[in-house]
């Protein structure tokens, strides 16, 4: 378990602060993460990686010459927000465009995609590549749905080495996609990890058993087996990967591969070496030429006891990218020429490119009418009720989420709702109307919560705030319209529909019943009460569904009989808000 921490909610920020203090030779802090301490040459493509905390040395430990130009770092097991990613990318950008890279998880896809859109709109050419190496997370026919685990490293490195060679953005993207297409990983675990402040792991396996095909966020494996010997573990890992060869690799014999035996947190290096001894024998027997193998902790999951094996099948393009030098806090190989430009004038020019505005919120608020300021006070009260409700049920939400997911829904909702309330209080105190106050809450929720729920709650609150505005007195009609817009926005962004076992299964009937009741002439509190009851019924009904999207999808059958955590939390929240509307 994680023993050394202060406030659990501050763990990720404090860990990043300490990391920077220990590694100033390589990195400097920016809002949302870190970038190289020495800027890249002018015109070089910037490779920006990122994901949640709890996986060190991924992602901040891989920033430096020969590898990433910057890393956006989210909260524990939660993707960084679009604002954080954008800020890191702006500071890493050296004039050649930006490639954003991340593991293929719903929250990361949402936030990095949003950031890419914002950067492109601002004139910084940006592309995204997600890593999909985990063979246990989807069938061969659905490789684009697979998760990214320790295969992140060879894919990140291929892109970064291509950037160091001076390739343009299209060339760097092509190198990353080629590496991803030829990378496969598979893992096992003997116990789950325990998040800071938690008193139990996210999943457990019986004594003498192990989880097979795990994720790096505490997701349970796709199955269980008896714990084998070290040689038996090696044989399982190697056979799983040799059973699925990438397109273009017809048989192992004579092929070259980058090999990573990765420790997930508490499996010691000596144990890894014992396992790798047999891995190397098995690959040699299969005729595989191993190139620059890595044995150690490259992508971890706090104190998870487990290992994963990654094979990146090399060719004449990928091998020099894999063997190229790199110098980062956690990963070093060969020799790297210092990338700092030669003259003080060149350095100043690069810094000017990097120092782009980050749209941090100011202290003043747009003009608002008195009626809208009064509505902002109601919004603050509603957000306080949301925060308190989430605090009360956070442990329950985490327990529900852990059945088939990673168990962090309660933690993320607590961070997001608390930040949203605090931001709305500040905005209302500065004289903001309802629209601006809810917009500030939306940005704060997305920034602090991260993950899929952070992104979705951000667009949800923005949609409602946009409908209310800062001038008119809200009516039942404008509120219902805002909720309907929120429902549509969440579906557009997340890609989920009713029946997928997500918050959409609650949001859609809630919005529809609210709009129908208002159209029938019901007052807002009465209409909201009817809609909240429909939401509660819909949340319970998700227990009979299996997830078709999100992190729980690979463990769909496990979730039967348990409601969706996001759906349940939304039902709790709309009921809490009804209590505020009934008294305001």
């Amino acid at each position: 378990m994680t023993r050394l921490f202060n406030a659990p909610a501050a763990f990720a920020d404090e860990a990043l602060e300490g990391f920077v203090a220990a590694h100033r030779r390589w990195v400097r802090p920016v809002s949302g993460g870190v970038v190289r301490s020495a800027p890249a040459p002018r015109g070089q493509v910037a490779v920006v990686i990122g994901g949640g905390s709890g996986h060190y040395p991924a992602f901040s430990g891989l920033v430096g010459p020969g590898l990433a130009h910057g890393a956006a770092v989210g909260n524990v097991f939660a993707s960084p927000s679009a604002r954080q990613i954008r800020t890191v990318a702006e500071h890493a950008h050296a004039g050649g465009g930006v490639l954003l890279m991340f593991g293929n998880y719903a929250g990361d896809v949402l936030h990095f995609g949003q950031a890419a859109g914002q950067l492109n709109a601002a004139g910084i050419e940006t592309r995204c590549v997600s890593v999909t190496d985990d063979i246990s997370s989807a069938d061969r026919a659905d490789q684009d749905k697979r998760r990214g685990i320790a295969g992140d490293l060879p894919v990140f490195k291929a892109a970064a080495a291509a950037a160091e060679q001076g390739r343009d953005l299209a060339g760097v993207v092509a190198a990353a996609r080629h590496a991803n297409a030829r990378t496969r990983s598979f893992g096992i675990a003997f116990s789950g990890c325990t998040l800071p402040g938690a008193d139990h792991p996210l999943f457990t396996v019986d004594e003498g058993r192990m989880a097979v095909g795990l994720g790096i966020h505490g997701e349970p494996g796709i199955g269980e087996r008896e714990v084998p010997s070290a040689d038996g573990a090696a044989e399982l890992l190697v056979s799983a990967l040799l059973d699925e060869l990438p397109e273009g690799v017809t048989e192992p014999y004579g092929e070259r591969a980058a090999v990573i035996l990765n420790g997930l947190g508490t499996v010691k290096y000596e144990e890894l070496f014992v396992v790798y001894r047999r891995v190397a024998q098995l690959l040699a027997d299969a005729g595989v030429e191993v190139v620059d193998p890595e044995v150690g902790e490259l992508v971890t999951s706090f104190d998870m006891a487990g290992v994963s094996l990654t094979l990146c099948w090399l060719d004449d393009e990928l091998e020099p990218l894999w063997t190229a030098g790199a110098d980062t806090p956690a990963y070093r190989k060969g020799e790297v020429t210092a990338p700092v430009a030669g003259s003080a004038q060149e350095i100043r020019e690069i810094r000017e490119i990097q120092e782009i505005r980050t749209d941090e919120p100011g202290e003043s608020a747009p003009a608002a009418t008195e009626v809208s300021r009064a509505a902002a006070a109601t919004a603050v009260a509603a957000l306080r009720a949301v925060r308190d409700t989430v605090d009360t049920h956070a442990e329950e939400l985490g327990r529900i989420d852990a059945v088939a997911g990673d168990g962090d829904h309660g933690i993320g909702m607590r961070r997001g709702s608390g930040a949203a309330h605090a931001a709305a209080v500040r905005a209302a105190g500065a004289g903001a109307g309802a629209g601006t106050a809810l917009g500030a809450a939306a940005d704060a929720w997305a920034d602090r919560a991260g993950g899929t729920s952070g992104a979705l709650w951000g667009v949800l609150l923005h949609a409602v705030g946009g409908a209310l505005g800062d001038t008119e007195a809200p009516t039942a009609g404008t509120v219902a319209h805002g909720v309907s817009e929120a429902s549509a926005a969440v579906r557009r962004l997340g890609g989920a529909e009713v029946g997928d076992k997500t918050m959409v299964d609650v949001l859609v009937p809630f919005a529809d019943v609210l709009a129908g009741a208002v159209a029938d002439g019901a007052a807002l509190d009465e209409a909201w009460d009817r809609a909240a009851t429909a939401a509660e019924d819909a949340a319970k009904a998700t227990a009979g569904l299996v997830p078709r999207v999100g992190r729980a999808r690979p463990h769909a059958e496990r979730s039967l009989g348990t409601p969706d955590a996001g759906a349940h939390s939304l039902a709790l929240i709309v009921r809490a808000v009804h209590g505020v509307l009934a008294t305001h």
Side-chain angles (χ1 to χ4, degrees):
M1 64 183 296
T2 307
R3 296 174 176 83
L4 296 175
F5 56 89
N6 296 311
F11 183 87
D13 291 338
E14 293 179 349
L16 186 62
E17 182 181 351
F19 165 77
V20 170
H23 297 293
R24 291 191 183 278
R25 169 186 158 191
W26 292 276
V27 299
R28 63 186 178 91
V30 297
S31 177
V34 295
V35 296
R36 292 184 188 179
S37 58
R42 187 181 181 90
Q44 187 174 101
V45 174
V47 175
V48 174
I49 63 177
S53 297
H55 305 304
Y56 189 85
F59 296 90
S60 55
L62 303 179
V63 174
L67 243 165
H69 297 74
V73 183
N75 273 301
V76 173
F77 290 179
S79 67
S81 70
R83 182 193 294 272
Q84 291 172 312
I85 298 161
R86 188 185 75 233
T87 303
V88 172
E90 287 170 342
H91 283 86
H93 178 52
V98 174
L99 173 58
L100 302 177
M101 302 187 71
F102 47 92
N104 188 37
Y105 297 89
D108 294 287
V109 171
L110 290 178
H111 287 288
F112 278 90
Q114 285 182 312
Q118 294 165 5
L119 289 163
N120 281 310
I124 299 175
E125 188 178 5
T126 304
R127 300 290 182 269
C128 291
V129 171
S130 59
V131 182
T132 57
D133 59 302
D134 180 12
I135 66 171
S136 70
S137 55
D139 294 333
R140 297 187 195 201
D142 293 316
Q143 291 183 22
D144 61 327
K145 296 179 181 178
R146 288 178 169 175
R147 304 176 293 207
I149 49 176
D152 284 356
L153 177 62
V155 181
F156 293 167
K157 192 171 186 304
E164 297 281 3
Q165 290 178 348
R167 299 189 198 183
D168 62 12
L169 182 57
V172 173
V173 170
R177 289 178 175 163
H178 184 46
N180 184 59
R182 295 175 69 92
T183 301
R184 302 288 188 273
S185 298
F186 186 70
I188 57 177
F190 315 106
S191 68
C193 59
T194 304
L195 302 184
D199 57 6
H200 56 274
L202 292 178
F203 73 87
T204 60
V205 290
D206 293 337
E207 188 72 24
R209 305 280 292 175
M210 69 178 183
V212 178
L214 64 140
I216 59 168
H217 298 93
E219 304 98 327
I222 58 172
E224 289 187 6
R225 297 189 184 184
E226 290 186 4
V227 175
S229 64
D231 283 0
E235 290 158 9
L236 171 63
L237 295 170
V238 171
S239 64
L241 295 183
L242 293 186
D243 279 346
E244 184 183 313
L245 299 177
E247 185 177 350
V249 181
T250 56
E251 59 181 24
Y253 191 81
E255 292 285 351
R256 295 159 286 165
V259 179
I260 299 171
L261 184 63
N262 175 62
L264 283 156
T266 59
V267 174
K268 307 307 296 180
Y269 272 70
E270 286 86 350
E271 294 176 88
L272 293 174
F273 292 138
V274 172
V275 175
Y276 185 72
R277 160 192 156 275
R278 184 58 177 154
V279 167
Q281 293 170 354
L282 292 166
L283 292 175
D285 291 345
V288 179
E289 179 186 347
V290 175
V291 179
D292 280 6
E294 296 288 344
V295 179
E297 294 184 348
L298 282 309
V299 179
T300 62
S301 185
F302 276 114
D303 61 336
M304 182 182 288
V307 298
S308 65
L309 181 67
T310 297
L311 300 182
C312 177
W313 296 92
L314 303 175
D315 56 15
D316 290 343
E317 178 190 1
L318 290 177
E319 183 168 347
L321 300 179
W322 172 245
T323 59
D327 184 18
T328 76
Y331 184 84
R332 297 164 205 170
K333 176 183 288 189
E335 296 183 1
V336 181
T337 303
V340 180
S343 70
Q345 177 60 31
E346 287 175 315
I347 295 173
R348 282 195 295 272
E349 289 176 356
I350 293 170
R351 291 293 193 203
E352 287 173 2
I353 293 173
Q354 292 178 330
E355 298 300 331
I356 301 174
R357 65 184 179 85
T358 59
D359 290 336
E360 292 295 336
E363 294 298 322
S364 60
T369 62
E370 286 299 322
V371 290
S372 188
R373 291 192 188 111
T378 301
V380 168
L383 287 166
R384 183 186 307 114
V386 170
R387 179 202 64 189
D388 293 346
T389 296
V390 169
D391 279 346
T392 300
H393 295 277
E395 185 174 342
E396 174 194 9
L397 295 174
R399 177 186 57 76
I400 294 172
D401 188 38
V403 171
D406 55 16
D408 69 345
H409 184 68
I411 295 171
M413 291 291 289
R414 175 177 275 162
R415 283 194 301 251
S417 60
H421 173 253
V425 168
R426 289 193 297 271
T436 295
L438 285 172
D443 289 338
W445 194 312
D447 281 353
R448 292 302 298 164
T452 307
S453 67
L456 298 180
W457 274 96
V459 300
L460 190 157
L461 291 176
H462 264 303
V464 175
L468 297 187
D470 290 328
T471 56
E472 303 297 325
T475 65
T478 55
V479 172
H481 173 69
V483 172
S484 295
E485 288 293 303
S487 175
V490 165
R491 281 177 284 163
R492 282 195 303 270
L493 180 62
E497 294 294 342
V498 172
D500 287 342
K501 196 165 186 172
T502 70
M503 69 183 295
V504 168
D505 289 295
V506 168
L507 183 56
V508 169
F510 174 77
D512 290 348
V513 171
L514 180 65
V518 169
D520 289 342
L524 179 59
D525 62 332
E526 180 187 346
W528 195 283
D529 183 29
R530 293 184 203 171
T533 299
E536 291 162 341
D537 292 340
K540 293 175 184 175
T542 62
L545 301 174
V546 292
R548 298 191 294 220
V549 296
R551 284 186 190 166
R553 180 185 52 79
H555 314 288
E557 298 304 320
R558 288 176 180 264
S559 73
L560 270 176
T562 302
D564 176 70
H568 184 54
S569 62
L570 177 57
L572 291 171
I573 284 170
V574 295
R575 177 54 67 191
V577 171
H578 173 253
V580 174
L581 296 178
T583 58
H584 285 65

